[in-house]
Amino acid sequence: MNKIIKITGLDCAACAAELEEEIAKIKGVDSVSVDFVGQKVVLDCAEEVVSAVEDCCNHFEDVKVVCDCKNNICAAGGVSAPTDGRRIKIKNLCCANCGRELEEELNAIEGVQATVDFMNMTVVLRAQSAEAYEKAVYSITHFEDVEIDDGREKKKSLAREHLKDIILVALSVLFFIPALAVDLALSGDVATYVSYGLYALAFIPVGFPVLRGTARNILSGKIFDENFLMTVAAIGAVILGIFTGDGIMEGVAVMLLYQIGELLQSIAVGSSRRSIARLMDLKSDTATLIKDGSTIVVSPEELAVGDEILIKAGEKVPVDCVVTEGQTALDMKSLNGEAIPAEAGEGAEILSGAINISKVIKARVVRSYSNSAVAKILELVENSTAKKAKPEKFITRFARYYTPVVVIAALLVATLVPTVICAVQSAFVWETYREWIYRSLSFLVISCPCALVISVPLSYFGGIGRMARFGILAKGSTCLDELALSSVAAFDKTGTLTEGVFAVKSSSSPEALKLAAAAERYSSHPIAAAFSDIPCDIAINNAEEVAGRGVKCLADGKVLLCGNRIMMEENGVKFAPADSVSTVIYVALDGRFVGVIEVDDKIKDGAKEALEELKCQGVTSCVMLTGDGERRARAVAEEVGLDECRAALLPDQKLEAAEELKSRGKLIYVGDGINDAPVMTVADCAVSMGKVGSDAAIEASDIVLVSDNLALLPKAKRIAKGTRRIVFQNIVGSLALKLAIMVLGVALPSFPLIIAIFGDVGVMLLAILNAMRTGLIK
C-alpha cells in the first residue's frame, strides 16, 4: 500500500537522506522517499509495517510523526473501532507519573487496551467497539490539561518559529564579542583566563546541541554526519589553540558560525515551505448547503453529487459544480494563473478553488469533494516530491559516500603528510604535525553536504510550485526532467488541438441523422456530444462501442452501424465514400447504407502560437496522432503548423507510432488522458488537458493542465528547463567551490579555519538562494 506519513523536526537535508536509508532497511518496505522540504515520508509497504516506520521516524533525532487523520494517526468521532491499534498524538502531558495514571484510566474502560508513551507524547489505542473508542478519546481530552494534537500547523512568523535558535545564537554572540575584545585588547594571564571563560560561555549555547547530537548519533552507530564533523573541527581547533597558545577563539567561532548558517538555512527553507503552503490554500473550509428551503453551513466533504449550494461573493467554490441560478465572475488565478476573471452563467461548470468575486450564485454539485479539482490539485502537489529525478537520486547517493571520503582525506592530511615530511627531515617536529592537523580541519568543515542535499530537492520543489501557480500540475521532479529533455511532441487532435465541442455540419438524410443520434447516445467518444440535442425515439438494444470504428447496436430489432469507413467495409456495407475534410460518420441499417453525416469542431485559439513557442523551447518535431480521417487531420495539421500528421490510426497503431517517435528523442504526448491512456503510458512525459476531475487523467498523465489552454505547455517546458538548469548550477557550483576551499586549505599554510566555515555556510546559502529563483521563472 502507498502511505504518506507527516513528520516534524526534520531540519537537516543530510539527515533526511539518513532517515530514508534507515526506513529502507525495514523488512516489508518496498520503496521509500523522505521529503525534506515537504516534511513527509512517502512509502510503499504492507499495513503491518507502518507502525515500525513510524517508530523509526519517532526515534530518529528530533523527528516526530505528527497527527494525520488521513493516515489513521489521530482520533475522530464516529469512526470504526481501531482494533489494530491507533496512534493518537497528544500534547500538554507534562508529568511521567500522570502518563501512568492516564494509561490506568484508559485500561479501566471496558473493551479498551491503551499504552501511553510519555516521551513521544502518544497514546496507542485498541478498542473492541466504536463506543469504547469514543469513551477513551473522551477520557484523554478530559484528563487534566491533555489535548489531542490535530497536527495543524500554527501560523507563526519566521522569527517566532525559530525563536529558540535565535536566542541561543544571540546568547553566544553576547559572550563572544566581549571575549574577542578582551583577547585582542589585553594581555597577561588574567586576560587570558577571562577570555577563556567568556569563550566557554559563548560556546555552550551553540555547541551543546551539536555535542549532544554527536554523542547520541555515535551511540546509535551513526558517525559521519554534520554534528560529528563540526564537533571534531571545533574541538580540534580549541585543543590546538590551547596547546600552541594561540587561544580558543577560532574553535568557538567555528561552532558559532556553523549555527548561524544552520539558522539562516532553516529560515530560508521555512520561507520556501510557507510559499508552498500559501499555494496550497485552495480549499474552502465551509460550504453553504441549500436544504428544504433553508441554508446549512457544512464542510465540503459532506456535500454529495446533486446537492444545491449557495456561493456568496468573496467565497471559494467548495466543490466542482454547475451554476443553476445567477451570473458572476470568477477569480481563477489559483487554478490556472489567469489574471482576467472568467464569466460564469447558468449551465457553466465551475471548478473548486476558484473565488466568486462578483454576485451570489446557486450551483448544483457535480463531483464529490474527493473527486473535485481542488482535491486532485492538493493531492498532486502534496505528493509531487515522491518521484525523485536522477540528479536528486545522484545527490542522495553521492552524499552517502562524499562525507566519509572527505573525513578519511582529512585524516590522511593530518597524519600521513606530516609523517612523510618528518621522515624526509629525519626528525619529529610537533609544529609540522600541528600545522597539518590544522589544515585538515578545513576538510571537515567543508565536507558537510548540506548545500547539495538541500538545494537540489528545493529547486525541484520550487519548479513544481511555480508550475502549480499557472495551473500546471506535475507529479514529481522526474516529470520536470523528462519534460525539460524532450525533443519530440505528439498530439491527439480532438480536445487537444481542437475545442472538442462537436456540432453536426451537414447530413445527407433526416433518417441518417435520427439513427445516428440514437446510436451515439451509447458512445463515450467526444463526437457523440454533437448529437445530444437531436430528439430521437428509436429503441436501442445491445449497444457496443467498437474501438476505432464506431457504435454497433440493434435499432427496433435491426442491426444499426454508425461509424467510420472501416466499420462499413468490415461489415460489407456498400457505400460511396464522402469527400470531406470534416469528420465523416456513415450510417447503415440492416446492411443498407442510409446516409453520411459531417461533424466538425473548432481549432483552439492560440494552438498555433503554442506550437511555435514549443519549438523555440527545443522541440524539433511536432506530430499529430489521431484516429480521424486523413483529410481533416491534415487540414488541422497545416493550420496549426505541425511537422507531421498520422491519421486514421487505431489505438494499437497509435501505440506503434509513439514507440517509433521515441527513437527520435524523448517524447511528450498530449491528450485527454482517458482514450489515450496506452499511448500516455509509453510516452516519456504524458500531458493531459483540462481533466483535473478525472481519475483516469491523473493516473495516465505525468503533467495535468488544469485548463484547456495549450499555451501552458511551452510555459511548463520553460519552467522545467529553468529548474533543471538551476539544479545543475547548484550541483556544479557547490562542488567547485567546496573543492576550491579544500585545495586552498591544504595549499596555504596560514589559511584561516574561519574562512572555511564562511565558505561552507556561504556555499549553502548561495545554493538555497539560487534554488529559490525557480519561483521567478516566467
Side-chain angles (χ1 to χ4, degrees):
M1 57 170 273
N2 289 317
K3 186 172 181 68
I4 297 174
I5 299 176
K6 292 281 188 179
I7 55 176
T8 185
L10 186 62
D11 294 325
C12 165
C15 298
E18 291 178 21
L19 177 58
E20 191 172 294
E21 286 183 41
E22 292 293 322
I23 295 173
K25 294 174 185 176
I26 298 174
K27 189 175 181 181
V29 174
D30 297 323
S31 65
V32 60
S33 174
V34 175
D35 178 6
F36 165 68
V37 180
Q39 293 281 281
K40 60 179 178 281
V41 179
V42 182
L43 67 154
D44 184 6
C45 69
E47 180 65 41
E48 57 270 18
V49 179
V50 173
S51 60
V53 174
E54 290 176 350
D55 287 340
C56 180
C57 293
N58 281 324
H59 289 86
F60 186 89
E61 298 190 358
D62 297 322
V63 175
K64 297 296 174 192
V65 174
V66 298
C67 176
D68 190 343
C69 299
K70 181 174 64 178
N71 292 313
N72 294 328
I73 300 170
C74 78
V79 298
S80 58
T83 55
D84 59 338
R86 175 162 296 170
R87 185 183 300 273
I88 302 174
K89 189 74 176 172
I90 59 174
K91 56 186 178 182
N92 300 335
L93 184 64
C94 302
C95 165
N97 188 53
C98 295
R100 179 188 56 78
E101 291 176 1
L102 174 59
E103 187 174 295
E104 289 178 356
E105 185 176 313
L106 292 173
N107 285 317
I109 300 171
E110 187 177 352
V112 171
Q113 284 185 319
T115 303
V116 176
D117 183 350
F118 170 72
M119 293 302 296
N120 291 320
M121 298 293 278
T122 56
V123 179
V124 178
L125 276 183
R126 289 176 176 82
Q128 294 177 0
S129 66
E131 183 182 359
Y133 179 68
E134 289 177 0
K135 284 183 180 178
V137 171
Y138 180 88
S139 295
I140 293 171
T141 55
H142 287 76
F143 185 87
E144 296 185 1
D145 296 324
V146 175
E147 296 176 21
I148 290 179
D149 188 347
D150 61 5
R152 293 179 183 175
E153 183 180 352
K154 306 298 183 291
K155 292 184 178 179
K156 301 177 182 177
S157 66
L158 279 175
R160 188 178 174 189
E161 189 175 320
H162 301 282
L163 183 61
K164 179 183 174 183
D165 295 328
I166 292 172
I167 290 173
L168 289 176
V169 168
L171 195 61
S172 179
V173 171
L174 187 66
F175 289 111
F176 184 83
I177 292 175
L180 184 62
V182 170
D183 205 6
L184 295 176
L186 302 175
S187 61
D189 291 342
V190 175
T192 301
Y193 293 141
V194 170
S195 68
Y196 275 26
L198 291 172
Y199 279 134
L201 291 173
F203 184 86
I204 291 171
V206 290
F208 179 73
V210 177
L211 297 176
R212 183 185 59 191
T214 301
R216 184 174 55 192
N217 290 340
I218 290 174
L219 290 174
S220 62
K222 293 181 294 183
I223 298 177
F224 295 116
D225 72 336
E226 60 179 355
N227 287 324
F228 174 79
L229 299 175
M230 292 305 155
T231 296
V232 174
I235 292 179
V238 167
I239 292 171
L240 283 177
I242 292 172
F243 271 98
T244 59
D246 292 338
I248 63 172
M249 181 275 293
E250 201 162 34
V252 178
V254 164
M255 193 63 77
L256 175 58
L257 289 171
Y258 167 69
Q259 289 289 46
I260 290 173
E262 290 293 292
L263 174 61
L264 294 175
Q265 168 195 300
S266 297
I267 291 173
V269 174
S271 175
S272 178
R273 285 177 181 154
R274 283 170 179 266
S275 68
I276 293 298
R278 285 195 297 271
L279 174 70
M280 300 280 283
D281 188 24
L282 295 172
K283 181 185 174 183
S284 174
D285 294 325
T286 60
T288 305
L289 173 65
I290 301 174
K291 192 172 184 178
D292 300 328
S294 60
T295 59
I296 308 170
V297 177
V298 298
S299 69
E301 289 87 347
E302 294 178 61
L303 296 175
V305 175
D307 282 347
E308 189 175 17
I309 59 175
L310 188 73
I311 307 172
K312 301 173 185 176
E315 290 184 341
K316 292 174 186 172
V317 178
V319 293
D320 299 351
C321 50
V322 171
V323 178
T324 57
E325 185 180 320
Q327 185 164 347
T328 189
L330 299 171
D331 181 350
M332 302 286 287
K333 285 197 297 291
S334 57
L335 292 174
N336 59 18
E338 180 58 57
I340 300 174
E343 296 294 327
E346 290 185 17
E349 181 175 333
I350 55 179
L351 296 178
S352 50
I355 300 173
N356 181 13
I357 59 174
S358 183
K359 300 175 182 177
V360 177
I361 57 171
K362 291 182 180 179
R364 186 182 70 258
V365 178
V366 295
R367 296 187 194 93
S368 62
Y369 173 77
S370 60
N371 291 319
S372 65
V374 69
K376 298 296 181 184
I377 291 171
L378 294 177
E379 183 182 355
L380 275 175
V381 175
E382 188 170 298
N383 298 337
S384 61
T385 50
K387 294 183 177 180
K388 294 185 178 180
K390 287 182 179 179
E392 212 168 343
K393 292 177 181 177
F394 162 76
I395 287 301
T396 302
R397 290 195 303 271
F398 178 81
R400 194 178 304 158
Y401 302 107
Y402 166 75
T403 303
V405 167
V406 173
V407 171
I408 292 170
L411 190 60
L412 293 175
V413 169
T415 57
L416 186 61
V417 175
T419 300
V420 171
I421 294 173
C422 288
V424 171
Q425 295 175 347
S426 300
F428 176 82
V429 182
W430 160 244
E431 186 61 29
T432 302
Y433 275 90
R434 188 205 67 80
E435 180 182 331
W436 286 97
I437 290 172
Y438 183 84
R439 294 188 190 188
S440 71
L441 294 180
S442 65
F443 266 63
L444 296 177
V445 167
I446 205 64
S447 63
C448 180
C450 273
L452 293 166
V453 182
I454 289 175
S455 63
V456 173
L458 199 61
S459 300
Y460 279 118
F461 202 59
I464 291 168
R466 183 61 175 169
M467 281 188 175
R469 287 183 180 275
F470 294 103
I472 307 162
L473 309 179
K475 278 191 175 180
S477 53
T478 304
C479 308
L480 264 67
D481 264 10
E482 297 291 355
L483 181 61
L485 296 171
S486 57
S487 57
V488 181
F491 300 84
D492 182 35
K493 181 177 79 69
T494 306
T496 302
L497 295 171
T498 61
E499 292 287 355
V501 181
F502 290 89
V504 174
K505 184 178 178 181
S506 67
S507 174
S508 63
S509 73
E511 182 187 8
L513 185 60
K514 192 174 182 180
L515 288 168
E520 291 294 342
R521 294 184 194 281
Y522 297 89
S523 172
S524 61
H525 197 282
I527 287 178
F531 300 89
S532 60
D533 295 329
I534 299 172
C536 177
D537 56 1
I538 300 173
I540 298 295
N541 300 104
N542 300 334
E544 177 191 0
E545 188 166 13
V546 184
R549 268 77 170 170
V551 178
K552 182 179 182 180
C553 56
L554 292 178
D556 295 331
K558 298 178 181 179
V559 177
L560 172 61
L561 301 174
C562 181
N564 57 20
R565 176 179 54 80
I566 299 173
M567 174 171 268
M568 299 296 114
E569 291 172 349
E570 288 180 348
N571 287 274
V573 177
K574 294 182 179 179
F575 69 103
D579 184 19
S580 174
V581 296
S582 299
T583 299
V584 176
I585 298 174
Y586 299 95
V587 181
L589 184 65
D590 219 16
R592 174 179 63 87
F593 178 65
V594 178
V596 62
I597 301 165
E598 289 182 291
V599 175
D600 218 335
D601 68 337
K602 178 188 172 186
I603 292 174
K604 282 188 176 180
D605 294 335
K608 183 176 182 180
E609 292 76 10
L611 293 178
E612 289 174 353
E613 192 176 347
L614 203 58
K615 290 179 180 179
C616 294
Q617 294 297 324
V619 174
T620 57
S621 182
C622 292
V623 183
M624 179 194 291
L625 303 179
T626 179
D628 284 3
E630 183 82 25
R631 292 186 63 189
R632 172 58 181 161
R634 290 203 174 279
V636 172
E638 288 175 9
E639 189 169 345
V640 298
L642 288 166
D643 301 306
E644 192 177 334
C645 173
R646 302 188 186 185
L649 297 176
L650 298 177
D652 59 329
Q653 292 173 322
K654 261 192 179 186
L655 203 59
E656 291 174 7
E659 291 280 13
E660 187 273 321
L661 289 173
K662 285 182 69 176
S663 64
R664 305 182 189 176
K666 286 193 176 291
L667 174 67
I668 309 171
Y669 183 82
V670 190
D672 60 15
I674 302 174
N675 299 326
D676 296 314
V679 186
M680 287 186 152
T681 304
V682 167
D684 296 294
C685 182
V687 181
S688 63
M689 298 280 292
K691 299 289 182 180
V692 178
S694 166
D695 284 331
I698 298 293
E699 191 65 33
S701 55
D702 300 304
I703 290 175
V704 179
L705 307 183
V706 174
S707 69
D708 281 330
N709 186 2
L710 198 61
L712 292 176
L713 183 58
K715 183 183 286 289
K717 186 167 175 64
R718 187 162 56 249
I719 294 172
K721 288 177 69 177
T723 300
R724 185 174 169 83
R725 183 167 56 249
I726 288 171
V727 165
F728 277 92
Q729 285 173 357
N730 279 338
I731 292 174
V732 175
S734 297
L735 287 176
L737 286 170
K738 281 178 174 287
L739 181 61
I741 293 172
M742 286 181 191
V743 171
L744 289 173
V746 173
L748 300 178
S750 58
F751 188 77
L753 194 59
I754 293 178
I755 301 297
I757 192 68
F758 263 122
D760 179 57
V761 172
V763 169
M764 179 178 62
L765 292 178
L766 281 174
I768 290 173
L769 291 173
N770 194 41
M772 293 173 74
R773 286 199 306 116
T774 52
L776 303 175
I777 302 173
K778 295 182 179 180

